Amino acid sequence: EKAAKSYADGVALFAAGRYADAEPPLQSAAANGADARYWYFLGLTQYQLGRQADAAAAFKKGAALEARG
């Protein structure tokens, strides 16, 4: 699945500290998959990039997905 591949790529870049590079694949994963983890890592990445408002919005979307089960 494309979203899962994008997520894996984004998480690997995040783990390497390459936050600006991690954001595009994580955005793609979040836009194309219904998994709270996609939004969680997107939020973490945006937080590391100093974009707290974007991070909060991503966390909120992830929490809403998680609440739905």
Side-chain angles (χ1 to χ4, degrees):
E1 171 184 335
K2 182 181 177 185
K5 168 83 168 88
S6 294
Y7 171 71
D9 292 345
V11 169
L13 291 164
F14 179 89
R18 295 174 53 192
Y19 307 119
D21 294 329
E23 188 176 19
L26 290 169
Q27 285 177 325
S28 177
N32 294 301
D35 190 316
R37 294 173 299 173
Y38 300 169
W39 290 100
Y40 175 71
F41 268 93
L42 177 58
L44 289 176
T45 299
Q46 291 169 331
Y47 184 85
Q48 290 295 329
L49 292 170
R51 299 201 341 258
Q52 282 75 19
D54 291 335
F59 291 142
K60 188 178 228 183
K61 288 180 184 179
L65 280 174
E66 188 69 27
R68 282 188 262 182

